[in-house]
Amino acid sequence: MNALFSLVAIIVIIAAAFLGASVPHLDFLFGVVFPYAAITVFLTGIVYRVIKWSTSPVPFHIPTVAGQQKSLPWIKDSPLESPHNTWGVVGRMALEILFFRSLFRNTKMEMKNGPKLVYGSSKYLWLGAIVFHWSMLIIVLRHLRLFMQPIPSFVLGLDSLDGFFQVGLPGLYITDVLILSALTFLILRRLTVRRIRYISLAADYFPLFLLFSIAATGVLMRYFFRIDLVNVKELAVGLFSFHPVVPQGTGVLFYVHLFLVCTLLVYFPFSKLMHMPGIFLSPTRNLANNSRMKRHVNPWNHPVRVHTYEEYEDEYREKMKEAGLPLDKE
Amino acid sequence: MAGPKLKPEELASKIKYNLPPKGWMDEPVEFREGTFNYSGNPKNVEYLQLPNPRKWQPTDPDWQLPENWKEIILEGLRDRLHRFRSLQIFMDICVRCGACADKCHFFIGSGDPKNMPVMRAELLRAVYRKDFTLAGKIFGKYAGARELTLDVVKEWFYYFYQCTQCRRCSVFCPYGIDTAEITLLVRELLGLIGVNIDWVVTPVANSFKTGNHLGIQPHGFKDSIDFAVDELEAITGVKVEAPINKKGAEILFITPSADYFGSPHYYTLLGYLALFHEIGLDYTWSTYASEGGNFGSFLSHDMMKSLNAKMYAEARRLGVKWILGGECGHMWRVVHQYMSTLNGPADFLEEPVSPVTGTKFGNARLTKMVHVCEFTADLIKNGKIKLDKSRNDNRRVTFHDSCNPARALGLIEEPRYIIRNACNYFFEMPENTIKEQTFCCGSGAGLGTDENLEMRMRGGLPRANAVKFVKEKHGVNFLGCICAIDKATLPPLMEYWVGGVDVGGVHELVGNALIMKGEKERTTDLRGEPLTVNESAMKEGNMSEEPFGE
């Protein structure tokens, strides 16, 4: 149901783009107005959300530790799983953000007769996730060649690396294959693993379908329905330099692709995709395990009612006296 | 203690991971006997000045909530979103990848999909979306939003008192989303409308009043310690000193109250008494701060602070240099991660230095509170105590990492080092069940009640199963741990699922092995059991004979 809802939403978006971009005079809207609006919403939305997060303080020091603490000098600590200083935290965060360390830990539990519980390593989710995210990053960086003139050398390098196998003409990008495969896997996983389908909301399917449509329209343009890249570059450079021009005859497919990207940008700040900036702020990961060494201050540490020793002694003085326990007041 | 009505095989056969045909928002909660906790005693709710004291039970159709309960909860949620970045982030960034699903011991043991950590959090997240996000306001159910109703509150009560705040899911979450944090905050919200459980409220009230959760008054405390001193003398022939409320002692020792009133905790207490005597430690017990455990941490941050305040207050009053803390789980989460923030800085204390070895405990230089396993490991490393391992030869030991020492402190090697030096036979459970991946006893965070026994046995199944594995493989007959709730709740768990495995503290093993000056020849261990190898255990299974097997 949730999947269907998301699928319909995506079809509506694609259809709208298709119809809209086919109308001759709407290319300014699709080529200039929407992209600018989308990027504005994207940036302000993210900044707004991150500022909103940041205005809530981190009252307590609550890292989840996954290794030996630094205690006695002769006990070997794990600086990346239980970091005791900022460098360790940077390392831990880098492993988490670049290599999905925690997801790599994933196991699968099975209950056999007996009952006997067995835990096996399970890396599929990690693999699907890491392939998708890295492909996505490389593809976004590759697209810089459309926006910049001259093209920065790292983009060119990335381009040739990605097209390393030199299969077909135009050359096949490895990341194109990988991103579609990874997204297919992630979609199928959500649809077929019953437990995952049970927890999935429309908001979980929608970004997957959206990303898949973006990647698919991109692939179609590059390998099957060639569009005029010179036009695309003219438009992109124009947008990038704030001198927008709308070249004629770029093709409807391009506008569908662009509109889907705009949808993603607008959707991003309001959705779970905010896990990208969010992970940097997660207090169980970005704090060092040093709370017995360094003080953490809670800005709203309000006073609470306590039972003082004086009250305690007043309540139990006779009994304490009888038991021979020392008293502050006789 | 009576077991659940079902036999272990029957219970196990009932664990199915099938999913209900309806969506999770359409399945109302069912309060089945044996799987939930009774409500807080109104007398104690009132004593603690908590809202809405009244007689009620979760099975009542009418929970007698205040008229504006919904407003109270939503306002409470808004307030907490502003005070806790953790909550704000954890509400916003979950992608429902499902990596946490089968990491929860309650999910594994119950098969109930709402025990998947992701679903537990979604119970709150759905309400958050409805009232605090744009998408939820516009798209409602399609954005995963849900109206806050009485049924939702009932569901919260059931499932957030079916989480032991063990944080195992948080280790596996790609964003470190911490269900313990969400659970504690929802319990705070429920507390605002007077929805509590008794095994949290009553221990908190006792701790507030008497200093310990069992409600032991000062003279009772003294009797208990005196009795332990006599018993230790009977076993070892050595009369030890156990000063109480002694001003000017160097060290204040605080341990869970179950250590001096519960079994098998008691044998760990004997171990402490023997050890502190042997090294000539200048220390004191306190009747005012006579509880290490902090039941407040199962109820609210404020109550956690209130109970924790006694530790520093008492250290200041007695004029000690630093504090030594006994074996306990959630106590150590509070001491390690919260105490200095809540009630510090403890600048009236000194940086802890072991008076025996001269070792500076730099890792505790701020809080001035050292874990007894850190302290003892240092003693052993420096050769300051003599241990006769063979006195534990009747024990084939495995070690259960208690959740909080493992995942809040990273206190992993210290207890193992002690065990290896106190015992000849030590065997690790499978790696997915120990250290940072350790499984909870299934009864922490206030859930260790008799009325909740079935759910405890379910939640404890993964732990018990791992113990069973090493019992069959290595003849393990002793489950060591460093948590008072473990010591109280693992014995019935072992009896139910495993059989023939005793539970005890690491310092019980130390006490058994400790060679004391002037002691008589020991014929029994601290439990009064003869010091011979347990022949029947040796015969079971295909055990390996080499010590230190992994």
Side-chain angles (χ1 to χ4, degrees):
Chain A
M1 186 60 216
N2 285 332
L4 199 64
F5 180 81
S6 298
L7 192 63
V8 170
I10 290 292
I11 292 170
V12 169
I13 290 166
I14 293 176
F18 200 83
L19 293 175
S22 313
V23 177
H25 300 295
L26 284 185
D27 26 358
F28 189 75
L29 190 65
F30 279 84
V32 178
V33 177
F34 285 158
Y36 275 135
I39 201 85
T40 310
V41 172
F42 177 73
L43 292 176
T44 50
I46 288 185
V47 169
Y48 172 77
R49 290 293 295 275
V50 170
I51 287 176
K52 196 173 161 214
W53 285 339
S54 317
T55 52
S56 295
V58 179
F60 301 110
H61 197 92
I62 54 162
T64 312
V65 166
Q68 173 62 37
Q69 67 167 345
K70 185 171 174 58
S71 60
L72 297 162
W74 48 272
I75 294 178
K76 199 179 170 314
D77 65 314
S78 0
L80 291 173
E81 302 286 14
S82 172
H84 68 274
N85 58 23
T86 309
W87 285 112
V89 171
V90 169
R92 188 182 197 198
M93 291 296 287
L95 282 182
E96 196 67 85
I97 289 160
L98 299 176
F99 304 109
F100 304 176
R101 171 69 185 98
S102 296
L103 209 51
F104 191 71
R105 231 186 276 278
N106 197 22
T107 56
K108 188 175 185 323
M109 176 275 306
E110 257 183 276
M111 185 178 292
K112 307 208 162 143
N113 277 340
K116 193 177 159 96
L117 294 167
V118 195
Y119 313 91
S121 164
S122 171
K123 305 267 187 266
Y124 292 111
L125 176 58
W126 173 83
L127 190 68
I130 201 131
V131 167
F132 161 71
H133 282 87
W134 273 101
S135 303
M136 174 89 183
L137 178 67
I138 292 169
I139 290 171
V140 168
L141 291 176
R142 266 208 280 104
H143 274 67
L144 287 179
R145 79 192 171 107
L146 297 173
F147 293 92
M148 290 167 145
Q149 193 60 30
I151 302 168
S153 57
F154 87 92
V155 175
L156 287 172
L158 207 58
D159 213 81
S160 59
L161 204 63
D162 201 353
F164 177 74
F165 288 116
Q166 304 198 339
V167 179
L169 200 76
L172 180 74
Y173 286 128
I174 303 161
T175 48
D176 285 351
V177 178
L178 291 178
I179 199 168
L180 285 176
S181 315
L183 285 167
T184 307
F185 167 76
L186 292 171
I187 291 169
L188 287 178
R189 176 176 175 274
R190 259 196 205 283
L191 286 170
T192 57
V193 181
R194 287 208 56 208
R195 197 182 289 161
I196 307 300
R197 194 168 72 206
Y198 187 77
I199 62 174
S200 293
L201 303 171
D204 298 315
Y205 295 106
F206 182 74
L208 283 174
F209 292 154
L210 185 58
L211 286 161
F212 189 91
S213 314
I214 291 170
T217 47
V219 163
L220 285 177
M221 274 188 292
R222 179 170 169 86
Y223 305 103
F224 301 100
F225 305 100
R226 297 284 292 162
I227 53 150
D228 192 338
L229 264 188
V230 178
N231 279 358
V232 174
K233 179 133 193 173
E234 201 182 337
L235 178 74
V237 170
L239 287 173
F240 204 64
S241 57
F242 295 102
H243 293 100
V245 277
V246 185
Q248 294 303 306
T250 313
V252 172
L253 194 54
F254 167 74
Y255 285 108
V256 173
H257 181 71
L258 186 60
F259 188 66
L260 287 167
V261 172
C262 291
T263 310
L264 179 68
L265 292 174
V266 170
Y267 180 72
F268 196 101
F270 302 98
S271 69
K272 70 169 192 176
L273 301 179
M274 284 300 285
H275 65 262
M276 182 185 89
I279 185 168
F280 290 91
L281 277 79
S282 178
T284 58
R285 291 288 185 271
N286 71 8
L287 293 171
N289 179 22
N290 62 358
S291 40
R292 273 192 289 158
M293 304 179 215
K294 274 197 163 166
R295 189 161 151 78
H296 180 94
V297 176
N298 171 4
W300 53 260
N301 188 18
H302 50 234
V304 297
R305 181 171 160 248
V306 291
H307 193 237
T308 64
Y309 178 80
E310 289 69 36
E311 292 167 312
Y312 171 84
E313 195 180 293
D314 286 349
E315 282 167 40
Y316 295 110
R317 182 163 295 111
E318 285 314 306
K319 286 170 174 169
M320 290 174 79
K321 203 168 169 181
E322 219 168 283
L325 290 166
L327 294 167
D328 277 4
K329 279 189 243 165
E330 287 296 331
Chain B
M1 185 185 292
K5 284 180 194 132
L6 294 170
K7 290 201 173 71
E9 315 79 71
E10 290 172 324
L11 184 64
S13 70
K14 277 179 181 287
I15 303 173
K16 296 272 184 273
Y17 300 103
N18 299 336
L19 295 163
K22 283 195 246 174
W24 63 266
M25 288 192 197
D26 307 316
E27 281 294 330
V29 65
E30 181 201 349
F31 288 96
R32 201 161 48 77
E33 205 57 49
T35 66
F36 67 92
N37 291 277
Y38 297 153
S39 65
N41 181 337
K43 213 176 65 194
N44 289 325
V45 173
E46 196 162 2
Y47 174 72
L48 292 169
Q49 300 181 8
L50 298 173
N52 198 14
R54 73 209 177 283
K55 258 196 144 89
W56 70 285
Q57 281 306 340
T59 42
D60 295 348
D62 178 9
W63 281 18
Q64 304 166 61
L65 302 181
E67 217 163 273
N68 59 340
W69 66 267
K70 193 172 163 176
E71 212 176 296
I72 296 174
I73 286 195
L74 292 178
E75 199 37 58
L77 179 55
R78 183 186 315 280
D79 169 46
R80 279 158 187 78
L81 287 166
H82 288 149
R83 281 195 289 134
F84 292 85
R85 186 181 302 169
S86 50
L87 181 63
Q88 184 73 66
I89 299 264
F90 297 160
M91 287 299 100
D92 284 334
I93 67 172
C94 175
V95 298
R96 286 162 295 279
C97 71
C100 58
D102 58 0
K103 309 304 178 286
C104 175
H105 51 286
F106 280 120
F107 175 68
I108 294 173
S110 71
D112 182 340
K114 284 179 190 163
N115 269 326
M116 294 191 265
V118 51
M119 282 307 309
R120 205 185 303 283
E122 285 290 300
L123 296 179
L124 176 63
R125 232 176 251 129
V127 170
Y128 163 77
R129 284 189 209 107
K130 171 83 188 155
D131 290 280
F132 297 90
T133 69
L134 190 64
K137 280 175 191 161
I138 299 171
F139 296 108
K141 203 178 161 183
Y142 291 105
R146 191 191 199 193
E147 181 82 31
L148 178 62
T149 63
L150 189 59
D151 280 341
V152 172
V153 169
K154 290 184 175 183
E155 217 170 30
W156 282 6
F157 173 79
Y158 189 72
Y159 289 105
F160 288 105
Y161 281 101
Q162 213 165 92
C163 163
T164 45
Q165 307 178 334
C166 83
R167 305 172 91 218
R168 189 171 191 266
C169 49
S170 173
V171 167
F172 291 90
C173 174
Y175 316 118
I177 294 173
D178 182 2
T179 309
E181 184 84 345
I182 298 172
T183 292
L184 180 54
L185 289 167
V186 173
R187 288 184 182 190
E188 284 193 18
L189 295 177
L190 291 171
L192 297 176
I193 55 171
V195 174
N196 295 311
I197 67 167
D198 196 48
W199 189 233
V200 171
V201 168
T202 294
V204 167
N206 285 338
S207 301
F208 191 88
K209 188 172 167 60
T210 65
N212 60 75
H213 88 271
L214 295 165
I216 300 156
Q217 300 184 7
H219 54 296
F221 178 91
K222 184 168 186 305
D223 282 353
S224 191
I225 297 286
D226 287 350
F227 185 82
V229 167
D230 291 344
E231 188 145 319
L232 188 64
E233 187 182 6
I235 297 166
T236 64
V238 180
K239 176 97 182 161
V240 307
E241 291 278 319
I244 301 173
N245 295 354
K246 178 184 153 192
K247 284 196 174 171
E250 185 174 355
I251 291 163
L252 168 62
F253 182 62
I254 302 178
T255 196
S257 58
D259 285 4
Y260 50 87
F261 243 77
S263 171
H265 312 63
Y266 185 68
Y267 311 113
T268 299
L269 169 68
L270 297 182
Y272 293 145
L273 290 172
L275 176 69
F276 298 161
H277 168 84
E278 189 54 28
I279 58 173
L281 197 68
D282 175 19
Y283 81 107
T284 181
W285 295 83
S286 159
T287 58
Y288 170 66
S290 49
E291 178 65 83
N294 190 321
F295 275 74
S297 68
F298 307 152
L299 186 63
S300 69
H301 288 89
D302 285 357
M303 208 46 92
M304 182 202 296
K305 178 175 178 174
S306 169
L307 299 185
N308 175 260
K310 295 188 184 197
M311 289 191 180
Y312 278 156
E314 186 68 340
R316 187 195 284 265
R317 186 184 75 87
L318 295 174
V320 300
K321 288 185 183 163
W322 54 277
I323 310 172
L324 183 63
E327 297 178 5
C328 189
H330 62 277
M331 154 185 172
W332 270 100
R333 169 122 203 260
V334 175
V335 167
H336 185 73
Q337 298 197 324
Y338 293 90
M339 179 160 74
S340 161
T341 303
L342 289 171
N343 293 307
D347 39 18
F348 52 91
L349 297 174
E350 292 175 18
E351 179 172 339
V353 177
S354 169
V356 186
T357 65
T359 300
K360 272 189 185 179
F361 294 98
N363 65 322
R365 61 179 175 262
L366 169 73
T367 53
K368 279 92 171 175
M369 188 148 175
V370 175
H371 193 292
V372 70
C373 284
E374 296 164 347
F375 182 75
T376 305
D378 173 63
L379 291 174
I380 296 172
K381 181 73 180 178
N382 286 286
K384 297 295 181 185
I385 52 174
K386 290 197 194 89
L387 298 170
D388 177 358
K389 292 181 182 186
S390 71
R391 288 186 193 167
N392 278 316
D393 278 355
N394 57 343
R395 302 294 189 196
R396 299 178 70 85
V397 179
T398 191
F399 180 66
H400 158 70
D401 287 273
S402 308
C403 311
N404 285 301
R407 285 185 281 262
L409 278 73
L411 186 97
I412 290 169
E413 287 308 320
E414 292 87 344
R416 287 178 166 75
Y417 180 78
I418 298 172
I419 293 172
R420 288 195 169 102
N421 279 282
C423 306
N424 277 316
Y425 303 105
F426 173 56
F427 308 92
E428 291 278 19
M429 285 180 271
E431 61 170 341
N432 290 121
T433 69
I434 54 169
K435 301 183 179 174
E436 75 278 3
Q437 299 194 27
T438 188
F439 273 110
C440 182
C441 61
S443 305
L447 311 188
T449 63
D450 283 356
E451 70 260 24
N452 192 36
L453 198 57
E454 182 189 322
M455 194 44 76
R456 286 170 51 194
M457 295 301 111
R458 287 174 178 274
L461 174 61
R463 169 43 71 228
N465 215 248
V467 176
K468 196 172 174 201
F469 178 81
V470 282
K471 183 197 171 193
E472 284 165 4
K473 192 169 176 200
H474 303 294
V476 160
N477 61 9
F478 188 88
L479 176 59
C481 57
I482 48 170
C483 167
I485 293 180
D486 283 338
K487 287 169 197 160
T489 68
L490 287 173
L493 185 77
M494 290 300 116
E495 200 185 314
Y496 187 73
W497 288 114
V498 187
V501 174
D502 285 333
V503 177
V506 167
H507 280 77
E508 175 185 344
L509 299 170
V510 172
N512 283 336
L514 185 71
I515 300 174
M516 300 172 75
K517 286 180 277 298
E519 68 178 3
K520 65 178 189 185
E521 193 193 339
R522 293 216 204 161
T523 50
T524 68
D525 61 17
L526 295 176
R527 297 189 180 207
E529 289 170 15
L531 286 182
T532 47
V533 179
N534 186 339
E535 297 289 341
S536 65
M538 298 281 285
K539 279 174 197 152
E540 271 180 51
N542 56 337
M543 333 171 315
S544 58
E545 287 300 318
E546 77 281 13
F548 305 148
E550 296 284 324

